[in-house]
Amino acid sequence: MGLQETKIESLPFVTAELNYLAPVSGKPRTYAFDPPPGEPKSTSLPEPHQVPIFDARLIADNVSLDREGFALVRHPNQVKDFYNDEEIRTVYYPAVEAFLRATLKADRVFIFDHTVRKRVEGAPDIRDGGPRQPATRVHVDQTAVSGANRVREHLPDEAEELLKGRVQVINLWRPIRGPLRDSPLAMVDGTTVSPDDLVASDLIYPNRRGETYSVKYNPNHRWFYFPEMTADEALLLKCYDSATDGRTRFAPHTAFVDPTTPADAAPRESIEVRTLVFHKQ
């Protein structure tokens, strides 16, 4: 049973402000470093909207990665220090790879990067400067173009053969400490997203150009979150799917300010691991 058959209106919810993409002329673009003189850091300007975000705890078993584009999973881990990059790569990466291969019945999983985030009040979000800030705009990490390009970038010798099968980009996101009450993650039900809502946007690095989706407001969007996630829980977020058979291909998401967060709640600390998931057709 999907969320369509569930009485969503009976679920608890909070009303919060989410930052959609304001109308912009031309393709939006953001520099991942200090922009050239006279250029703004980003042409993607926020358009805030107050929306209900439903507590999905009671319907977690009805949420599907292929249908809604996200899923809550139980995932204990053995990592002692998520701020130790070597431990992340030697302990956490293998555990995530094995977990996703088994959970998604994948033929192969390739981890291409990770991001640690810690909210610091008033601090800018700086790449390569320690933990990142939570991402506070509605977005998808990849696009139809950049999702496939990730395979070519990271596995160039095998890319064309791998791209003959099904390829997904799956983000495994978790709190480092729980229960998480500050800056939780909200996900939109992918079945309520229209292709026209997704706006390909350039992300410009010093040596390459990536592409993400910014998201235009649509009153049909239905938002969910899992309050007070523990350190043994994780979210699977679909950032790209090459399958075009009707299943959800992209899952917009964003951090948000929960108005019910206690004033003394610990700042959000989280880690996300981005992976390529392969299925032979």
Side-chain angles (χ1 to χ4, degrees):
M1 181 175 69
L3 299 186
Q4 294 71 29
E5 293 79 41
T6 305
K7 292 185 177 179
I8 302 300
E9 294 74 16
S10 66
L11 296 176
F13 69 93
V14 296
T15 299
E17 184 175 276
L18 301 187
N19 291 310
Y20 281 91
L21 175 70
V24 60
S25 60
K27 186 178 184 181
R29 57 119 187 93
T30 298
Y31 285 96
F33 57 100
D34 287 336
E39 291 275 340
K41 178 86 170 177
S42 178
T43 61
S44 298
L45 300 178
E47 182 180 85
H49 287 266
Q50 294 281 333
V51 301
I53 304 174
F54 292 94
D55 179 347
R57 284 277 180 196
L58 295 175
I59 56 169
D61 291 344
N62 295 337
V63 175
S64 157
L65 189 62
D66 272 346
R67 188 177 51 241
E68 285 79 31
F70 61 92
L72 180 72
V73 293
R74 179 165 169 75
H75 186 233
N77 71 92
Q78 303 300 315
V79 178
K80 293 181 172 60
D81 182 7
F82 276 104
Y83 293 95
N84 183 322
D85 199 66
E86 182 180 358
E87 186 176 6
I88 295 299
R89 295 179 186 278
T90 58
V91 177
Y92 194 50
Y93 274 26
V96 169
E97 180 184 335
F99 176 78
L100 290 180
R101 217 171 45 240
T103 302
L104 303 180
K105 298 178 173 55
D107 294 301
R108 182 176 176 185
V109 173
F110 177 85
I111 296 173
F112 61 86
D113 72 9
H114 72 275
T115 300
V116 175
R117 299 182 190 270
K118 181 175 182 178
R119 190 180 68 77
V120 178
E121 189 70 37
D125 183 23
I126 301 175
R127 295 171 189 270
D128 303 321
R132 298 277 308 278
Q133 294 289 310
T136 55
R137 64 183 184 87
V138 182
H139 69 284
V140 183
D141 296 14
Q142 306 293 333
T143 68
V145 171
S146 68
N149 281 344
R150 281 290 186 183
V151 184
R152 300 184 181 101
E153 177 184 350
H154 299 293
L155 299 165
D157 295 339
E158 308 168 74
E160 296 316 309
E161 189 63 31
L162 290 169
L163 287 167
K164 292 177 183 176
R166 182 187 177 198
V167 181
Q168 298 179 86
V169 177
I170 302 296
N171 180 338
L172 188 142
W173 184 100
R174 71 173 333 116
I176 290 174
R177 293 179 178 82
L180 186 143
R181 297 185 175 98
D182 174 68
S183 294
L185 206 64
M187 294 74 59
V188 68
D189 175 356
T191 66
T192 68
V193 178
S194 164
D196 292 340
D197 300 337
L198 305 177
V199 180
S201 307
D202 284 332
L203 187 54
I204 304 170
Y205 297 90
N207 57 348
R208 70 179 184 91
R209 184 175 294 231
E211 192 176 66
T212 64
Y213 279 130
S214 303
V215 182
K216 294 189 292 187
Y217 175 69
N218 181 335
N220 293 324
H221 289 169
R222 196 157 51 187
W223 286 93
F224 295 91
Y225 78 123
F226 295 94
E228 302 198 359
M229 284 182 63
T230 69
D232 283 346
E233 293 180 314
L235 288 167
L236 300 180
L237 305 171
K238 188 183 288 192
C239 301
Y240 167 77
D241 195 335
S242 65
T244 55
D245 55 2
R247 69 187 89 196
T248 287
R249 300 183 65 201
F250 305 99
H253 55 277
T254 179
F256 72 99
V257 176
D258 182 348
T260 67
T261 298
D264 60 351
R268 189 243 267 193
E269 297 176 74
S270 62
I271 181 170
E272 59 220 57
V273 173
R274 299 178 187 87
T275 71
L276 292 165
V277 177
F278 299 101
H279 291 86
K280 297 173 184 174
Q281 297 286 36

